[in-house]
Amino acid sequence: MDITINGQLHQLDIEPDTPLLWVLRDELGMTGTKYGCGVAQCGACTVLVDGQATRSCVTPVEAVAGSQIMTIEAVTQDPVGQKVVEAWVSQQVAQCGYCQSGQVMAATALLKQTPKPSDEDIAAAMVNLCRCGTYNAIAAAVRHAAQA
């Protein structure tokens, strides 16, 4: 099976129903995408598939064959992703950091689709869980990135 991740084509000999998360982490060594819950509820595993925020823990690899997948490892190669990362740093969003790769990917997807989001747009898109409760800082960073 051929999949394109961060602009690079990978040929994999893998079961088609293997979750994308495990392909990224176990087969390709891309450990920036985190395992959180395994049931698409927390968002720690969020990647972009054709620009859409996607929970990789429940996405079978066969479903993304032929798609463009972006992980946290390459987010700064995207101009919007770079702005998001810069905003995350300047706003000092991260505390423990575990959810942050998924948060950054979700924010990048939002700003690529809606460059000037309203507070309602931010609230609707930024639904990943943060056990440290940095939701206000996350929203501030998204607003900051949108203005950059």
Side-chain angles (χ1 to χ4, degrees):
M1 179 177 313
D2 294 345
I3 60 171
T4 304
I5 302 170
N6 300 332
Q8 183 177 359
L9 180 66
H10 296 271
Q11 295 179 334
L12 302 169
D13 182 21
I14 195 156
E15 293 296 321
D17 62 346
T18 302
L20 177 59
L21 176 63
W22 302 125
V23 172
L24 295 172
R25 293 182 62 81
D26 295 346
E27 299 296 321
L28 301 175
M30 296 179 182
T31 58
T33 303
K34 304 300 183 197
Y35 173 81
C37 66
V39 293
Q41 296 298 304
C42 74
C45 67
T46 301
V47 298
L48 302 189
V49 177
D50 294 332
Q52 300 293 314
T54 303
R55 305 290 168 94
S56 65
C57 70
V58 296
T59 302
V61 69
E62 69 182 340
V64 297
S67 298
Q68 294 292 320
I69 302 160
M70 182 191 301
T71 69
I72 192 69
E73 284 87 356
V75 75
T76 58
Q77 294 172 13
D78 179 273
V80 174
Q82 179 65 36
K83 288 179 185 179
V84 170
V85 170
E86 289 171 359
W88 241 248
V89 172
S90 73
Q91 299 297 304
Q92 299 179 0
V93 174
Q95 286 188 21
C96 83
Y98 195 83
C99 72
Q100 295 307 303
S101 61
Q103 301 281 6
V104 167
M105 298 308 291
T108 300
L110 168 63
L111 293 176
K112 287 176 83 60
Q113 294 166 6
T114 309
K116 301 293 182 190
S118 66
D119 286 344
E120 293 78 22
D121 294 331
I122 294 169
M126 300 305 297
V127 296
N128 292 8
L129 298 179
C130 174
R131 293 182 185 198
C132 298
T134 64
Y135 300 110
N136 291 335
I138 289 168
V142 173
R143 286 190 292 275
H144 185 82
Q147 294 170 356

Coordinates of all heavy atoms in Angstrom, one line a residue, residues 38-83:
G38 N -7.7 6.2 21.9 CA -8.0 5.1 21.0 C -9.4 5.1 20.4 O -9.7 4.2 19.7
V39 N -10.2 6.0 20.8 CA -11.6 6.0 20.3 C -12.0 7.4 19.7 O -13.2 7.7 19.7 CB -12.6 5.6 21.5 CG1 -12.4 4.2 21.8 CG2 -12.4 6.5 22.7
A40 N -11.1 8.2 19.3 CA -11.3 9.4 18.6 C -12.0 10.5 19.5 O -12.7 11.4 18.9 CB -12.1 9.2 17.3
Q41 N -11.8 10.4 20.7 CA -12.5 11.4 21.6 C -11.5 12.5 22.1 O -12.0 13.7 22.3 CB -13.0 10.7 22.9 CG -14.1 9.7 22.5 CD -15.3 10.4 21.9 OE1 -15.9 11.3 22.5 NE2 -15.7 10.0 20.7
C42 N -10.2 12.2 22.3 CA -9.4 13.3 22.9 C -8.7 14.2 21.9 O -8.4 15.3 22.2 CB -8.4 12.6 23.8 SG -7.0 11.7 23.0
G43 N -8.3 13.6 20.7 CA -7.7 14.5 19.7 C -6.2 14.5 19.7 O -5.5 15.2 18.9
A44 N -5.5 13.8 20.6 CA -4.1 13.8 20.7 C -3.4 13.2 19.4 O -2.3 13.5 19.1 CB -3.6 13.0 21.9
C45 N -4.2 12.4 18.7 CA -3.7 11.7 17.5 C -4.0 12.5 16.2 O -3.9 12.0 15.1 CB -4.3 10.3 17.4 SG -6.1 10.4 17.1
T46 N -4.5 13.7 16.3 CA -4.9 14.5 15.1 C -3.8 14.7 14.1 O -2.7 15.2 14.5 CB -5.5 15.8 15.6 OG1 -6.6 15.6 16.5 CG2 -6.0 16.6 14.4
V47 N -4.1 14.4 12.9 CA -3.2 14.7 11.8 C -4.1 15.4 10.7 O -5.3 15.4 10.8 CB -2.5 13.5 11.2 CG1 -1.6 12.8 12.2 CG2 -3.6 12.5 10.6
L48 N -3.5 15.9 9.7 CA -4.2 16.5 8.6 C -4.3 15.5 7.4 O -3.2 15.0 7.0 CB -3.7 17.8 8.1 CG -3.5 18.9 9.1 CD1 -3.1 20.2 8.4 CD2 -4.8 19.1 9.9
V49 N -5.4 15.2 6.9 CA -5.6 14.3 5.7 C -6.3 15.2 4.7 O -7.4 15.6 4.9 CB -6.4 13.1 6.0 CG1 -6.7 12.3 4.8 CG2 -5.7 12.2 7.1
D50 N -5.5 15.5 3.6 CA -6.0 16.5 2.6 C -6.5 17.7 3.3 O -7.6 18.3 2.9 CB -7.1 15.8 1.7 CG -6.6 14.6 0.9 OD1 -5.4 14.7 0.6 OD2 -7.3 13.7 0.6
G51 N -5.8 18.2 4.3 CA -6.1 19.5 4.9 C -7.2 19.4 6.0 O -7.4 20.4 6.7
Q52 N -7.8 18.3 6.2 CA -8.8 18.1 7.2 C -8.3 17.5 8.5 O -7.5 16.5 8.4 CB -10.0 17.2 6.7 CG -10.6 17.7 5.5 CD -11.4 19.0 5.7 OE1 -12.2 19.1 6.7 NE2 -11.3 20.0 4.9
A53 N -8.6 18.1 9.6 CA -8.2 17.5 10.9 C -8.8 16.1 11.0 O -10.0 15.9 10.9 CB -8.6 18.3 12.1
T54 N -8.0 15.1 11.3 CA -8.5 13.7 11.3 C -7.9 12.9 12.5 O -6.7 13.1 12.7 CB -8.0 13.0 10.0 OG1 -8.5 13.7 8.9 CG2 -8.5 11.6 9.9
R55 N -8.7 12.2 13.1 CA -8.2 11.4 14.3 C -7.6 10.1 13.8 O -8.3 9.2 13.3 CB -9.4 11.1 15.2 CG -10.2 12.3 15.7 CD -9.3 13.2 16.7 NE -9.9 14.5 16.9 CZ -10.7 14.8 18.0 NH1 -11.1 13.8 18.8 NH2 -11.1 16.0 18.2
S56 N -6.3 10.0 13.8 CA -5.6 8.9 13.2 C -5.8 7.6 14.0 O -5.5 6.5 13.4 CB -4.1 9.2 13.1 OG -3.5 9.4 14.3
C57 N -6.2 7.6 15.2 CA -6.3 6.4 16.0 C -7.5 5.5 15.5 O -7.5 4.3 15.8 CB -6.5 6.7 17.5 SG -8.1 7.4 18.0
V58 N -8.4 6.1 14.8 CA -9.5 5.3 14.3 C -9.6 5.3 12.8 O -10.6 4.8 12.2 CB -10.9 5.7 14.9 CG1 -10.9 5.5 16.4 CG2 -11.2 7.2 14.6
T59 N -8.6 5.8 12.1 CA -8.6 5.9 10.7 C -7.8 4.8 10.1 O -6.6 4.8 10.3 CB -8.1 7.3 10.2 OG1 -8.8 8.3 10.8 CG2 -8.1 7.4 8.7
P60 N -8.5 3.8 9.4 CA -7.7 2.8 8.8 C -6.8 3.3 7.7 O -7.2 4.2 7.0 CB -8.7 1.8 8.2 CG -10.0 2.5 8.3 CD -9.9 3.7 9.2
V61 N -5.6 2.7 7.6 CA -4.6 3.2 6.7 C -5.1 3.1 5.2 O -4.9 4.0 4.4 CB -3.2 2.5 6.9 CG1 -3.3 1.1 6.5 CG2 -2.2 3.3 6.1
E62 N -6.0 2.1 4.9 CA -6.5 2.0 3.6 C -7.4 3.2 3.2 O -7.5 3.6 2.1 CB -7.3 0.7 3.4 CG -8.6 0.7 4.2 CD -9.3 -0.7 4.1 OE1 -9.0 -1.4 3.1 OE2 -10.2 -0.9 4.9
A63 N -8.0 3.9 4.2 CA -8.9 5.0 4.0 C -8.1 6.3 3.5 O -8.7 7.2 3.0 CB -9.7 5.3 5.2
V64 N -6.8 6.3 3.7 CA -6.0 7.5 3.4 C -5.0 7.2 2.2 O -4.3 8.1 1.9 CB -5.2 8.0 4.6 CG1 -6.2 8.5 5.7 CG2 -4.3 7.0 5.2
A65 N -5.1 6.0 1.7 CA -4.3 5.8 0.5 C -4.7 6.8 -0.6 O -5.9 7.0 -0.9 CB -4.5 4.3 0.0
G66 N -3.7 7.4 -1.2 CA -4.0 8.4 -2.2 C -4.2 9.8 -1.7 O -4.4 10.7 -2.5
S67 N -4.2 10.0 -0.4 CA -4.4 11.3 0.2 C -3.0 11.9 0.6 O -2.0 11.2 0.7 CB -5.3 11.1 1.5 OG -6.5 10.7 1.2
Q68 N -3.1 13.2 0.9 CA -1.9 13.8 1.4 C -2.1 13.9 2.9 O -3.0 14.5 3.4 CB -1.8 15.2 0.8 CG -1.5 15.3 -0.6 CD -0.1 14.7 -1.0 OE1 0.9 15.0 -0.3 NE2 0.0 13.9 -2.1
I69 N -1.1 13.3 3.7 CA -1.2 13.3 5.1 C -0.1 14.2 5.7 O 1.1 14.1 5.2 CB -1.0 11.9 5.7 CG1 -2.1 11.0 5.1 CG2 -1.0 11.9 7.2 CD1 -1.7 9.5 5.1
M70 N -0.4 15.1 6.6 CA 0.6 15.9 7.3 C 0.6 15.6 8.8 O -0.5 15.6 9.4 CB 0.3 17.4 7.0 CG 1.4 18.3 7.7 SD 1.0 20.1 7.7 CE 0.8 20.4 6.0
T71 N 1.7 15.4 9.3 CA 1.9 15.2 10.7 C 2.6 16.4 11.4 O 3.1 17.3 10.7 CB 2.7 13.9 11.0 OG1 4.0 14.1 10.7 CG2 2.1 12.7 10.3
I72 N 2.6 16.4 12.7 CA 3.3 17.4 13.4 C 4.8 17.6 13.0 O 5.3 18.7 13.1 CB 3.1 17.2 15.0 CG1 3.5 18.5 15.7 CG2 3.9 16.0 15.4 CD1 2.6 19.7 15.6
E73 N 5.4 16.5 12.6 CA 6.8 16.6 12.2 C 7.0 17.5 11.0 O 8.1 18.1 10.9 CB 7.3 15.2 11.8 CG 7.6 14.3 13.0 CD 6.3 13.5 13.4 OE1 5.2 13.7 12.9 OE2 6.5 12.7 14.4
A74 N 6.0 17.8 10.2 CA 6.2 18.6 9.0 C 5.3 19.9 9.1 O 5.3 20.7 8.1 CB 5.9 17.9 7.8
V75 N 4.6 20.2 10.2 CA 3.7 21.3 10.2 C 4.4 22.6 10.0 O 3.8 23.5 9.4 CB 2.8 21.3 11.5 CG1 3.7 21.8 12.7 CG2 1.6 22.1 11.3
T76 N 5.6 22.8 10.4 CA 6.3 24.1 10.2 C 6.7 24.3 8.7 O 7.1 25.4 8.4 CB 7.5 24.3 11.1 OG1 8.4 23.2 10.9 CG2 7.0 24.3 12.6
Q77 N 6.6 23.3 7.9 CA 6.9 23.4 6.5 C 5.7 24.1 5.7 O 5.9 24.6 4.6 CB 7.2 22.1 5.8 CG 8.5 21.5 6.4 CD 8.7 20.0 5.9 OE1 8.0 19.6 5.0 NE2 9.6 19.3 6.5
D78 N 4.6 24.1 6.4 CA 3.4 24.8 5.9 C 3.4 26.2 6.5 O 3.6 26.4 7.7 CB 2.2 24.0 6.3 CG 0.9 24.7 5.8 OD1 0.4 25.6 6.5 OD2 0.4 24.3 4.7
P79 N 3.2 27.3 5.7 CA 3.2 28.6 6.2 C 2.2 28.8 7.3 O 2.5 29.5 8.3 CB 2.9 29.5 5.0 CG 3.2 28.7 3.8 CD 3.0 27.2 4.2
V80 N 1.0 28.3 7.2 CA 0.0 28.4 8.3 C 0.5 27.7 9.5 O 0.4 28.2 10.6 CB -1.4 27.9 7.8 CG1 -2.4 27.9 8.9 CG2 -1.9 28.8 6.6
G81 N 0.9 26.4 9.3 CA 1.5 25.7 10.4 C 2.6 26.4 11.2 O 2.7 26.3 12.4
Q82 N 3.5 27.0 10.4 CA 4.6 27.8 11.0 C 4.0 28.9 11.9 O 4.5 29.1 13.0 CB 5.5 28.3 9.9 CG 6.6 29.2 10.5 CD 7.6 28.4 11.3 OE1 7.9 27.2 11.0 NE2 8.1 29.0 12.4
K83 N 3.0 29.6 11.4 CA 2.4 30.7 12.2 C 1.8 30.1 13.5 O 1.8 30.8 14.5 CB 1.3 31.4 11.4 CG 1.9 32.3 10.3 CD 0.8 33.0 9.5 CE 1.3 33.7 8.3 NZ 0.3 34.4 7.6

